[in-house]
Amino acid sequence: MTDRHLVVGAGPVGRHVAQMLAARGSEVVVATRSGTDTGFAGITHKRLDASDSDALSAEAEGAAVLYNCANPGDYTAWDQFWPPLASALLTAAERSGAVLAITGNLYPYGPVDEPMHEGLPDAATDHKGALRAQMWADAKALHDAGRIRAIEIRSSDYVGTGVGDNGHVSRQVPGAMQGKRAWVIGRKDQPHTFTDVLDTARLLVAAAEDGTAHGRVWHVPSNVPRTQQEAITDVLASVRRPPVGVTAMPAPVLAAASRFVPMLRELRELSYQWTRPYVLDDSAARQHFAMEPTPWDEVCRRTAVQ
């Protein structure tokens, strides 16, 4: 196996993956549509339309792993963004022989009444969840047919370094640090798993390079669930800031606003994640990879100072 790695996407996960690989001396190429420079030494940055299967395949030639760390800039445009990119990634993985390592999420499961484990069916009916479920189903089918090698890792909502507006907690931090009230979706008192974005990158790399881990989904080891109010309070306390008021946006207000704000309309469709316990069972990955999550206090500090 070569030690060349192609990372598609320079968002929170892609940046951590690239930095981690470069730090150990691997050859790393980060490909984005804009040619974004991650600012880390030892990484080559390429301007590339990854939905162009021929261009992506050419760049993936000779790579040991092709990482799907793409992070759509427009949350409302997934239906246009993902299908051509997912197709190109499958084509490039098959042509190049690189392992396809997919950064997934929990959307495919849809609403659940138990801790989410990898044995649950991908039963989502909302368009985002169904789309992500189909992406993994397509990759799994090619893997099972022996045409590619693929894995997908799934995490809950991101916290940690570099998450910013990509996280429900971290987007509240700038205002909360100034003593402003935090507004959250759903309920503020339900247990919810939050995943350190660095731990997501750690598992993605580990699973990609472990042949016994291929062909299935893995859940990222994450800390004990916290409510939204507890998580925001913990982040502030980690840098010795006092707690702030946390208010759940009333459902009628969210419903009315979603009629005019596309982003809120998308979030409302997934609001079930915040109205009941949303808990990740990560025991399989902990056992297989002997991996534990980054301590919560450290994750909170990195969330506060990003």
Side-chain angles (χ1 to χ4, degrees):
M1 177 180 288
T2 70
D3 198 24
R4 182 174 186 272
H5 301 260
L6 176 58
V7 181
V8 176
V13 177
R15 290 172 62 86
H16 281 298
V17 167
Q19 185 180 24
M20 186 183 310
L21 293 169
R24 74 180 194 188
S26 299
E27 180 185 354
V28 183
V29 177
V30 173
T32 61
R33 189 182 293 270
S34 62
T36 299
D37 190 330
T38 61
F40 301 129
I43 297 173
T44 300
H45 301 89
K46 292 287 184 72
R47 185 188 301 270
L48 177 71
D49 179 1
S51 65
D52 181 335
S53 58
D54 290 335
L56 183 61
S57 296
E59 193 60 53
E61 191 64 36
V65 184
L66 171 59
Y67 296 92
N68 175 9
C69 300
N71 186 38
D74 184 353
Y75 192 69
T76 69
W78 278 28
D79 293 324
Q80 293 74 48
F81 176 90
W82 275 120
L85 176 56
S87 177
L89 286 161
L90 295 178
T91 298
E94 184 169 15
R95 290 178 180 175
S96 68
V99 174
L100 177 59
I102 303 168
T103 308
N105 57 34
L106 303 179
Y107 292 9
Y109 298 129
V112 296
D113 295 313
E114 60 181 303
M116 288 166 280
H117 57 83
E118 295 92 335
L120 287 175
D122 285 350
T125 57
D126 64 274
H127 75 108
K128 274 185 165 57
L131 175 59
R132 290 297 319 209
Q134 188 61 54
M135 285 172 58
W136 171 240
D138 292 343
K140 181 70 162 60
L142 290 184
H143 175 94
D144 290 346
R147 294 170 57 183
I148 67 172
R149 293 168 295 158
I151 57 99
E152 177 167 297
I153 61 100
R154 294 179 179 177
S155 58
S156 194
D157 295 87
Y158 291 147
V159 285
T161 303
V163 175
D165 286 343
N166 292 295
H168 288 272
V169 168
S170 58
R171 72 166 58 103
Q172 301 288 340
V173 169
M177 293 282 279
Q178 299 175 33
K180 297 179 181 178
R181 176 172 295 276
W183 291 83
V184 298
I185 291 174
R187 293 175 58 177
K188 63 180 182 180
D189 61 350
Q190 293 299 295
H192 192 100
T193 297
F194 294 95
T195 303
D196 179 19
V197 68
L198 176 57
D199 290 339
T200 300
R202 288 170 56 207
L203 182 63
L204 188 63
V205 172
E209 297 183 338
D210 179 355
T212 68
H214 296 170
R216 58 162 291 177
V217 165
W218 296 95
H219 289 171
V220 180
S222 304
N223 282 282
V224 173
R226 306 290 284 166
T227 68
Q228 293 190 83
Q229 181 162 10
E230 289 172 334
I232 293 168
T233 299
D234 289 348
V235 169
L236 293 172
S238 72
V239 288
R240 299 182 179 181
R241 294 297 180 93
V244 298
V246 178
T247 300
M249 185 181 299
V253 173
L254 179 60
S258 67
R259 295 172 56 191
F260 307 101
V261 182
M263 179 67 169
L264 288 179
R265 186 159 55 245
E266 298 290 328
L267 291 175
R268 185 188 180 209
E269 190 174 33
L270 298 168
S271 62
Y272 66 84
Q273 298 176 2
W274 304 97
T275 57
R276 64 177 78 185
Y278 199 71
V279 177
L280 187 66
D281 180 343
D282 57 15
S283 56
R286 289 190 190 223
Q287 180 176 357
H288 185 90
F289 298 98
M291 178 180 169
E292 295 294 320
T294 300
W296 180 241
D297 286 347
E298 180 182 337
V299 176
C300 287
R301 284 193 296 273
R302 289 196 280 103
T303 303
V305 301
Q306 61 180 318

